[in-house]
């Protein structure tokens, strides 16, 4: 199989069209109208959709109890680089059908691992050259690249946090190559995903040493970013528990603490995934809002988990209300800069037809578009924000502002409470009223 002889994989041809909410055609957009202006910006520019290379073209459909079900033609053969080139053809075919502005990849997604790191890196660069050529005639650009520092058995005890310094060095060299490739392809971000940056038991772990290693690793990445002139954003993706029992990048707050410890809170932002948020015991909108509050919101991986499963099922989003609440927080945060809506999602292992992949993305894009419109309505109406402003209005009084600015001491505050005989009484948070209000936007 070679790039020149690979037939079209999908039955669809050309970009899917927007046809409006009416109708049932799965090969069309019913809410995603890319040129529609929402809050002064085109819908495509708000959402900045990206296709994830790994789930869409690399995952074979296996699970812990069974092997592959997809049997994609580029997954079987003896010439691995020829298969990688064929996979690139299929990837850009899907990008064209969906008319997406971005895609994202790990190095091991796009090219096979060689006998040495030098060979592996050369394989990645060979496929990157194909990407660059295809991007000359495609609208699709690179949202972000990243290195796979978790699949190979050498990473079983982590990459940056590994007790073996040779693994640390190998990881650094691998990241250097992918960061440079991302830069050369015009990528807008580079993601660090610490899937195995954690530990299983304290009996064999030096926590301080591993945190120091992780901090130095992150600093080296940032230093090299500036050295090569990469103008994109360095992102970290929080991930709880799975696969490592105790993850150093558990959630937004944990990662922010790591960044502060490493002195990088002004240099690195976060890529937040819906399914990771729920696995951490949070909601997706909570993690987005927390990142925005801490000044580190960057991008998102859009998907959902299964409420009845305790692992990362990475399903395409189908719940409009949940997605709208997430979009509302993104809009409140000012929207994306270099970030985007990356579909870190996979079709179910029984969905073995090629077109299932097209329909899954198109449907998810519609869910996000509909959610964006709802979120924009919330922003424009302003009732939710007014309720929040009213709840904290007391802090606008000069004497209350003084408590936060340092102008009023603990002693002075205590004296005022006694002098004014303050006896504050609780006020309703009006949660049900606000939840009912959200329901009106969903009609």
């Amino acid at each position: 199989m070679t790039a020149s002889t690979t037939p079209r994989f999908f039955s669809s041809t050309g970009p899917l069209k927007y046809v409006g909410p009416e109708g049932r055609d799965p090969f069309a957009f019913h809410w995603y109208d890319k040129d529609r202006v929402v809050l002064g910006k085109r819908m495509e520019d708000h959402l900045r959709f990206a296709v994830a290379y790994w789930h869409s073209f690399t995952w074979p459909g296996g699970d812990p109890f069974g092997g592959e079900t997809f049997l994609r033609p580029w997954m079987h053969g003896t010439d691995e680089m020829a298969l990688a080139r064929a996979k690139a053809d299929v990837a850009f075919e899907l990008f064209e059908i969906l008319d997406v502005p971005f895609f994202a990849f790990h190095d091991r997604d796009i090219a096979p691992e060689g006998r040495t790191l030098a060979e592996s890196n050369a394989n990645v660069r060979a496929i990157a050259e194909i990407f660059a050529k295809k991007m000359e005639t495609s609208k699709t650009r690179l949202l972000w690249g990243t290195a796979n520092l978790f699949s190979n058995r050498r990473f079983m005890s982590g990459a940056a946090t590994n007790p073996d310094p040779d693994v640390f060095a190998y990881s650094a060299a691998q990241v250097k190559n992918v960061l440079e490739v991302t830069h050369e392809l015009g990528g807008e971000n580079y993601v660090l995903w610490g899937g195995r940056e954690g530990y299983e038991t304290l009996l064999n772990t030096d926590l301080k040493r591993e945190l120091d290693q992780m901090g130095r690793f992150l600093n080296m990445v940032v230093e090299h970013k500036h050295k090569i002139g990469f103008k994109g954003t360095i992102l970290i993706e929080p991930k709880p528990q799975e696969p490592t029992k105790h993850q150093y990048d558990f959630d937004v707050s944990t990662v922010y603490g790591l960044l502060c410890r490493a002195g990088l809170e002004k240099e690195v932002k976060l890529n937040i995934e819906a399914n990771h948020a729920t696995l951490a015991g949070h909601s997706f909108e909570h993690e987005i809002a927390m990142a925005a509050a801490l000044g580190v919101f960057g991008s998102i991986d859009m998907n959902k988990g299964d409420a009845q499963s305790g692992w990362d099922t990475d399903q395409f989003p189908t719940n409009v209300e949940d997605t709208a609440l997430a979009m509302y927080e993104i809009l409140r945060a000012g929207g994306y800069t270099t970030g985007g809506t990356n579909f870190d999602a996979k079709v179910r292992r029984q969905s073995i037809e090629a077109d299932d992949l097209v329909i899954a993305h198109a449907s998810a894009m519609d869910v996000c578009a509909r959610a964006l419109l709802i979120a924009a309505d919330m922003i424009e109406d302003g009732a939710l924000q007014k309720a929040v402003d009213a709840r904290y209005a007391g802090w606008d009084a000069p004497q209350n502002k003084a408590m936060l600015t340092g102008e009023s001491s603990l002693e002075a505050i205590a004296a005022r409470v006694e002098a004014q005989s303050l006896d504050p009484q609780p006020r309703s948070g009006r949660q049900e009223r606000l939840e009912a209000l959200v329901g009106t936007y969903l009609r």
Side-chain angles (χ1 to χ4, degrees):
M1 175 180 288
T2 64
S4 60
T5 61
T6 302
R8 288 191 67 89
F9 183 67
F10 303 100
S11 66
S12 306
T13 59
L16 300 184
K17 303 298 183 184
Y18 169 73
V19 299
E22 301 301 324
R24 298 288 185 269
D25 184 0
F27 294 100
F29 294 122
H30 300 278
W31 292 94
Y32 179 56
D33 180 2
K34 68 177 184 179
D35 292 319
R36 178 172 177 175
V37 176
V38 181
L39 298 180
K41 186 188 295 186
R42 292 171 63 248
M43 186 176 279
E44 181 179 64
D45 297 330
H46 268 296
L47 294 169
R48 291 168 61 86
F49 287 130
V51 172
Y53 214 92
W54 51 100
H55 284 327
S56 296
F57 313 112
T58 304
W59 184 56
D63 66 16
F65 303 98
E68 66 176 313
T69 58
F70 293 159
L71 302 178
R72 307 300 196 198
W74 59 86
M75 292 180 178
H76 299 279
T78 56
D79 188 339
E80 291 186 300
M81 284 302 289
L83 296 172
R85 289 190 291 271
K87 180 164 54 174
D89 286 340
V90 173
F92 275 82
E93 184 183 331
L94 182 62
F95 303 160
E96 176 190 4
I97 293 169
L98 297 174
D99 195 26
V100 289
F102 296 105
F103 73 107
F105 69 84
H106 300 80
D107 51 356
R108 292 288 79 81
D109 303 328
I110 67 173
E113 187 163 9
R115 291 165 295 181
T116 65
L117 181 60
E119 186 178 312
S120 297
N121 289 347
N123 289 344
V124 170
R125 287 191 166 276
I127 299 302
E129 290 177 7
I130 293 175
F131 286 171
K133 185 67 175 177
K134 289 180 177 292
M135 289 162 68
E136 290 177 4
T137 56
S138 172
K139 69 172 281 185
T140 305
R141 294 294 177 261
L142 180 59
L143 184 66
W144 50 261
T146 186
N148 180 330
L149 304 180
F150 50 89
S151 292
N152 191 289
R153 66 192 296 269
R154 72 173 62 90
F155 302 121
M156 66 180 185
S157 298
T161 59
N162 200 291
D164 185 343
D166 287 347
V167 176
F168 181 100
Y170 190 102
S171 304
Q174 189 174 336
V175 167
K176 174 182 178 293
N177 183 64
V178 188
L179 177 58
E180 290 173 354
V181 167
T182 299
H183 175 45
E184 292 159 15
L185 288 174
E188 299 206 18
N189 310 269
Y190 182 83
V191 172
L192 291 157
W193 186 75
R196 298 195 187 276
E197 305 296 10
Y199 70 93
E200 299 293 343
T201 174
L202 283 172
L203 297 176
N204 64 5
T205 302
D206 185 331
L207 283 175
K208 183 180 184 305
R209 178 184 291 275
E210 293 196 0
L211 290 171
D212 287 345
Q213 288 176 206
M214 192 169 185
R216 180 58 194 141
F217 196 98
L218 296 175
N219 267 283
M220 287 194 298
V221 173
V222 171
E223 289 164 7
H224 196 64
K225 162 195 167 172
H226 292 301
K227 181 177 182 179
I228 65 177
F230 179 53
K231 302 302 182 184
T233 305
I234 301 296
L235 299 169
I236 292 180
E237 181 170 329
K239 167 76 173 184
Q241 299 181 37
E242 183 190 280
T244 304
K245 184 177 179 181
H246 299 283
Q247 290 282 142
Y248 296 132
D249 50 1
F250 184 84
D251 61 5
V252 167
S253 297
T254 305
V255 174
Y256 183 72
L258 288 172
L259 293 177
C260 290
R261 188 176 189 272
L264 293 173
E265 66 272 21
K266 301 297 184 184
E267 286 277 3
V268 177
K269 296 188 183 299
L270 273 59
N271 182 65
I272 302 165
E273 180 179 313
N275 204 171
H276 293 177
T278 53
L279 286 174
H282 305 306
S283 66
F284 191 21
E285 62 267 26
H286 163 85
E287 289 288 84
I288 295 169
M290 182 61 74
L294 296 172
V296 291
F297 174 69
S299 192
I300 68 167
D301 275 1
M302 176 57 76
N303 58 24
K304 74 168 188 176
D306 188 314
Q308 296 170 303
S309 298
W311 63 86
D312 197 1
T313 55
D314 286 330
Q315 297 169 240
F316 281 90
T318 57
N319 188 301
V320 173
E321 180 176 0
D322 287 349
T323 309
L325 292 173
M327 286 294 170
Y328 177 65
E329 295 302 334
I330 291 172
L331 292 178
R332 290 184 69 211
Y336 301 122
T337 52
T338 60
T341 305
N342 177 57
F343 287 114
D344 186 0
K346 55 195 177 189
V347 294
R348 302 298 84 195
R349 70 191 303 265
Q350 297 178 47
S351 300
I352 61 176
E353 295 178 0
D355 287 340
D356 291 331
L357 199 54
V358 175
I359 294 169
H361 279 91
S363 174
M365 292 165 75
D366 266 347
V367 168
C368 293
R370 190 173 182 183
L372 174 68
L373 295 173
I374 293 168
D377 195 10
M378 294 178 184
I379 293 289
E380 288 185 310
D381 180 64
L384 288 169
Q385 187 60 52
K386 287 177 184 176
V388 174
D389 293 342
R391 192 178 187 207
Y392 294 92
W395 287 97
D396 293 332
Q399 62 186 10
N400 296 330
K401 286 183 177 180
M403 292 193 290
L404 300 181
T405 59
E407 301 172 54
S408 188
S409 67
L410 194 66
E411 183 179 32
I413 293 172
R416 179 170 66 85
V417 170
E418 291 186 12
Q420 297 179 0
S421 299
L422 290 185
D423 183 23
Q425 298 299 309
R427 292 177 293 172
S428 175
R430 297 180 170 180
Q431 180 173 337
E432 289 74 19
R433 183 180 302 195
L434 296 176
E435 289 171 342
L437 177 59
V438 168
T440 66
Y441 299 113
L442 297 171
R443 294 173 185 166

